[in-house]
């Protein structure tokens, strides 16, 4: 009986039947489980969005509308409070000169999101599920832990961003810890909006993006930045007069824009559309419309980021602490002790930035800024929670109730976030934000390497596997992004000036590089470097599936 099962698993049917792919992606289809059949498992995609049929045009707005949603949810990670703080510091420290870095990072992000969406569409599984089936147990668990660290770091920035916004909106009456509790509570409420339909949930996220666009767009209009300098900074890849500060900020932009958990999230969100994966034409069409939708979504997120950079470049670049104190004293809106009385260059964050915007442009600018930050934090907190659930379900194959999954993923991030909120005041969070950016930068290889690995395997992607151009360009992009972020980490660690921390960092770096090397080995085999293929599991996924089927049968 066992031999018959294995034979059925590897049997190759006729590739096409009446123009339809009949055995297109069976090599990594999830093995059947008697338990799964007896106990229905609640997911977010039980009611999938139908795609209009009988549309013969090369391009259809009806179909684009049906596919619209996942890309905009994905784009929220490009607008989280960590990105907003990176934007404002970029403007305050480098004027408009780093906008071309932001543009380049967004384009690279779009190409990586394309790979994530294609994996989800073609295989019907998201990246965490594919990792669960392709990597051995120990590397799989380590990979899960690394991705969870990235999610926790991002979640802390997002929740605290919401708490800061609530503090500003309440004229500092709501303390940071209370804002954290409010954010976590309302996240639970909003997360269950999909009970009323997936499209309603997507519409809610669309509303939050609109709030951000209007809020930061208002600040842009009020600040009235120099349009010529803005366009020069966006399209001329040069940074005149830039030094170490601007270089570190440029690295920080890349680290803030390209986030590891977002790759896992997007590969899962595309499963929400009703696509016949056995039909090659439908899969090809889905890939096309998802890419168009992602391009539109990231273009909008890029514009919102540009609004923030431009506002702070126009209003804050070259200013000193005394300049701002003098300006704010005219309106009497500056809290005491927020800025030191000296002529050093002004340093701002989300909180201080909002206060100073109120000083320069009036109270309306402060409150509208806070509303934009609240929308950014709330939306990214929700998508971060979804990321945590997809990652945990995929890597650990959890089959828990819906509420239990939400409770667990929220609880993982709530403890460190609450501790920070209780023991840290709202005026001194920049150091924590830098640490969290470094933490997320270190986790980037654990999303980028697996996505390039699996989308390059014909045994997984069939006709939709990466071609040679994508393999080479994807490998170069990932190498460059990882190198940039490693530089960011080195700069941060060397600034700590502690021998004990240097030794600890050296030990952790050795273990870290060993694991990255292991993933890179699998990736190189998938990219076609056959001389390294001495036992790599990615080279024989069918054999792996037989092994998994044996585990389920036993």
């Amino acid at each position: 009986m066992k031999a018959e099962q294995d034979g059925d698993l590897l049997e190759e049917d006729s590739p096409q039947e009446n123009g339809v792919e009949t055995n297109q992606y069976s090599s990594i289809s999830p093995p059947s489980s008697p338990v799964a059949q007896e106990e229905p498992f609640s997911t977010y995609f039980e009611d999938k969005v139908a795609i209009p049929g009988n549309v013969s045009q090369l391009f259809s707005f009806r179909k684009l509308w049906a596919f619209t949603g996942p890309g905009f949810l994905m784009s929220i990670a490009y607008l989280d409070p960590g990105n907003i703080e990176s934007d404002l510091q970029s403007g305050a420290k480098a004027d408009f000169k780093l906008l071309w870095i932001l543009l380049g990072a967004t384009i690279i992000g779009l190409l990586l999101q394309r790979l994530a969406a294609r994996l989800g569409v073609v295989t019907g599984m998201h990246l965490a599920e594919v990792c669960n089936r392709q990597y051995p147990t120990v590397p799989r668990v380590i990979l899960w832990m690394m991705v969870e660290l990235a999610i926790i770091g991002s979640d802390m920035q997002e929740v605290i961003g919401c708490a800061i916004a609530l503090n500003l909106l309440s004229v500092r009456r709501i303390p940071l810890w209370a804002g954290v509790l409010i954010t976590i509570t309302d996240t639970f409420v909003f997360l269950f909006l999909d009970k009323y339909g997936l499209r309603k949930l997507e519409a809610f996220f669309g509303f939050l993006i609109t709030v951000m666009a209007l809020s930061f767009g208002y600040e842009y209009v009020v600040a009235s930045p120099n349009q010529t300098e803005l366009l020069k900074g966006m399209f001329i890849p040069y940074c005149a007069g830039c030094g170490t500060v601007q270089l570190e900020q440029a690295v920080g932009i890349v680290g803030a824009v390209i986030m590891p958990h977002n790759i896992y999230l997007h590969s899962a969100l595309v499963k929400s559309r009703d696509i016949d994966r056995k039909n090659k034409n439908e899969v090809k069409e889905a890939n096309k419309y998802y890419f168009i939708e992602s391009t539109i979504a990231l273009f909008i997120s890029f514009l919102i980021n540009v609004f923030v950079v431009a506002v702070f470049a126009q209003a804050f670049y070259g200013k000193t602490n005394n300049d701002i104190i003098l300006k704010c004293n005219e309106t009497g809106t500056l809290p005491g002790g927020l800025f030191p009385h000296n002529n050093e260059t002004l340093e701002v964050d989300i909180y201080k930035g909002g206060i100073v915007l109120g000083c320069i442009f009036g109270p309306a600018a402060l409150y509208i800024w806070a509303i934009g930050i609240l929308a950014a934090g709330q939306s990214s907190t929700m998508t971060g929670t979804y990321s945590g659930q997809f990652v945990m379900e995929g890597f650990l194959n959890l089959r828990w109730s819906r509420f239990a999954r939400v409770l667990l993923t929220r609880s993982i991030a709530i403890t460190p976030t609450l501790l920070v909120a209780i023991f840290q005041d709202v005026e001194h969070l920049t150091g924590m934000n830098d640490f969290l950016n470094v933490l997320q930068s270190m986790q980037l290889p654990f999303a980028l390497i697996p996505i390039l690995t699996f989308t390059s395997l014909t045994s997984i992607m069939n006709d939709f596997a990466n071609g040679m151009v994508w393999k080479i360009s994807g490998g170069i992009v990932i190498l460059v992004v990882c190198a940039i972020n490693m530089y960011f980490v080195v700069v941060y660690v060397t600034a700590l000036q502690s021998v004990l921390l240097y030794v600890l960092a050296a030990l952790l770096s050795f273990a870290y590089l060993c694991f990255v090397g292991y993933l890179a080995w699998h990736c190189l085999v998938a990219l076609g470097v056959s001389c390294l293929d001495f036992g790599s599991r990615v080279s024989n996924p069918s054999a792996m599936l037989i092994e998994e089927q044996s585990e389920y049968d036993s």
Side-chain angles (χ1 to χ4, degrees):
M1 181 65 181
K2 183 62 188 284
E4 291 176 3
Q5 289 176 339
D6 291 349
D8 291 339
L9 194 62
L10 293 177
E11 182 181 356
E12 296 187 359
D13 299 334
S14 173
Q16 288 193 346
E17 183 176 307
N18 298 326
V20 176
E21 300 285 331
T22 56
N23 194 36
Q24 183 79 8
Y25 313 112
S26 60
S27 61
I28 62 162
S29 296
S32 59
S33 169
V35 176
Q37 293 173 358
E38 293 171 7
E39 299 178 8
F41 182 50
S42 173
T43 69
Y44 299 98
F45 310 126
E46 290 171 337
D47 299 321
K48 295 190 176 184
V49 176
I51 306 300
N54 302 321
V55 179
S56 57
Q57 306 103 295
L58 184 64
F59 177 81
S60 166
F61 282 103
R62 283 183 61 209
K63 283 196 173 183
L64 178 60
W65 177 250
F67 281 105
T68 296
F72 281 89
L73 267 68
M74 167 273 295
S75 72
I76 284 170
Y78 292 72
L79 296 168
D80 72 339
N83 269 289
I84 300 300
E85 179 148 339
S86 174
D87 292 337
L88 67 87
Q89 290 186 0
S90 173
K93 293 178 180 179
D95 203 14
F96 302 100
K97 299 171 187 175
L98 297 180
L99 280 174
W100 64 275
I101 297 285
L102 177 62
L103 176 61
T106 304
I107 292 173
I108 291 173
L110 173 63
L111 299 179
L112 294 172
Q113 299 298 160
R114 173 186 179 270
L115 295 181
R118 285 171 70 87
L119 180 72
V121 170
V122 172
T123 66
M125 293 190 292
H126 55 75
L127 181 56
E129 292 174 316
V130 178
C131 288
N132 182 45
R133 286 160 174 77
Q134 295 294 322
Y135 289 125
T137 303
V138 174
R140 182 169 70 233
V141 172
I142 296 174
L143 193 59
W144 166 67
M145 292 172 64
M146 294 298 100
V147 177
E148 284 291 349
L149 276 177
I151 293 173
I152 290 171
S154 175
D155 207 24
M156 288 179 67
Q157 288 178 313
E158 293 153 1
V159 172
I160 289 178
C162 280
I164 289 173
L166 291 171
N167 181 271
L168 289 172
L169 287 171
S170 65
V171 197
R172 294 176 287 282
R173 290 190 179 91
I174 299 179
L176 205 59
W177 62 267
V180 168
L181 291 178
I182 292 171
T183 302
I184 292 172
T185 302
D186 61 29
T187 299
F188 271 106
V189 175
F190 292 140
L191 277 172
F192 287 93
L193 280 175
D194 65 345
K195 284 289 186 183
Y196 299 97
L198 188 60
R199 296 297 268 176
K200 290 185 176 62
L201 177 69
E202 292 172 348
F204 179 69
F205 279 105
F207 167 74
L208 293 177
I209 293 174
T210 303
V211 170
M212 283 184 267
L214 294 175
S215 299
F216 300 136
Y218 170 84
E219 308 287 355
Y220 181 85
V221 171
V222 170
S224 187
N226 187 315
Q227 302 301 310
T228 303
E229 291 300 316
L230 185 149
L231 292 174
K232 283 170 59 179
M234 189 180 299
F235 295 110
I236 299 178
Y238 182 67
C239 190
C242 292
T244 304
V245 172
Q246 288 75 23
L247 177 61
E248 292 177 7
Q249 188 58 45
V251 172
I253 290 173
V254 177
V257 168
I258 303 172
M259 305 180 73
H261 69 274
N262 210 33
I263 305 294
Y264 289 87
L265 174 67
H266 198 197
S267 65
L269 292 174
V270 296
K271 295 167 59 179
S272 59
R273 268 49 183 177
D274 189 11
I275 302 165
D276 181 8
R277 293 190 305 109
K278 293 181 179 180
N279 188 317
K280 183 177 178 179
N281 290 331
E282 283 197 25
V283 173
K284 185 177 181 179
E285 182 182 67
N287 286 330
K288 178 182 75 174
Y289 282 108
Y290 274 135
F291 182 66
I292 294 172
E293 185 234 2
S294 297
T295 303
I296 296 170
L298 289 189
F299 175 72
I300 293 173
S301 73
F302 172 70
L303 288 182
I304 295 173
N305 282 313
V306 168
F307 288 162
V308 178
V309 174
V311 167
F312 282 81
Q314 186 70 25
F316 293 80
Y317 178 67
K319 298 292 193 301
T320 65
N321 290 315
N322 282 339
D323 291 337
I324 295 301
I325 291 173
L326 183 62
K327 183 68 177 177
C328 290
N329 283 341
E330 295 176 1
T331 59
T333 56
L334 183 67
L338 190 60
F339 296 103
H341 288 268
N342 57 43
N343 281 316
E344 293 182 4
T345 303
L346 178 70
E347 292 189 5
V348 292
D349 52 28
I350 288 177
Y351 176 76
K352 294 177 183 176
I355 295 292
V356 179
L357 283 175
C359 292
I360 298 175
F361 302 116
L366 186 155
Y367 292 116
I368 292 173
W369 168 259
I371 291 170
I373 296 298
L374 182 62
Q378 188 63 71
S379 58
S380 55
T381 299
M382 293 167 65
T383 55
T385 303
Y386 278 126
S387 299
Q389 292 174 70
F390 293 138
V391 165
M392 191 169 291
E393 292 164 10
F395 276 111
L396 304 184
N397 198 28
L398 292 181
R399 309 191 70 80
W400 292 2
S401 70
R402 174 78 181 281
F403 180 78
R405 280 176 281 150
V406 175
L407 183 63
L408 177 61
T409 50
R410 284 283 76 198
S411 300
I412 288 176
I414 187 176
T415 303
T417 307
L418 266 178
L419 290 175
V420 168
I422 291 171
F423 295 105
Q424 187 72 282
D425 57 72
V426 73
E427 293 91 353
H428 301 90
L429 291 173
T430 301
M432 185 209 70
N433 189 67
D434 291 341
F435 170 75
L436 293 177
N437 282 336
V438 169
L439 178 67
Q440 292 174 80
S441 296
M442 292 184 67
Q443 313 312 318
L444 265 176
F446 307 127
L448 304 190
I449 295 177
I451 195 64
L452 181 62
T453 300
F454 300 132
T455 55
S456 298
L457 286 170
T458 53
S459 55
I460 291 177
M461 299 292 288
N462 204 278
D463 294 339
F464 296 95
N466 295 330
M468 186 56 65
V469 173
W470 268 98
K471 288 180 180 179
I472 294 174
S473 58
I476 292 173
V477 164
I478 289 174
L479 183 64
V480 170
V481 169
C482 291
I484 287 173
N485 283 281
M486 286 303 98
Y487 172 82
F488 187 37
V489 172
V490 169
V491 168
Y492 179 81
V493 172
T494 52
L496 296 176
Q497 298 180 345
S498 169
V499 176
L500 179 61
L501 291 175
Y502 289 161
V503 173
L504 180 61
L507 294 174
L508 291 175
S509 296
F510 177 75
Y512 173 85
L513 291 174
C514 285
F515 187 55
V516 171
Y518 171 83
L519 296 177
W521 165 52
H522 280 283
C523 186
L524 289 171
V525 172
L527 293 176
V529 184
S530 56
C531 61
L532 297 177
D533 188 7
F534 43 87
S536 173
R537 288 168 65 98
V538 300
S539 61
N540 189 8
S542 296
M544 285 183 58
L545 191 57
I546 293 177
E547 179 184 329
E548 290 182 356
Q549 182 71 51
S550 301
E551 294 175 1
Y552 274 91
D553 290 342
S554 62

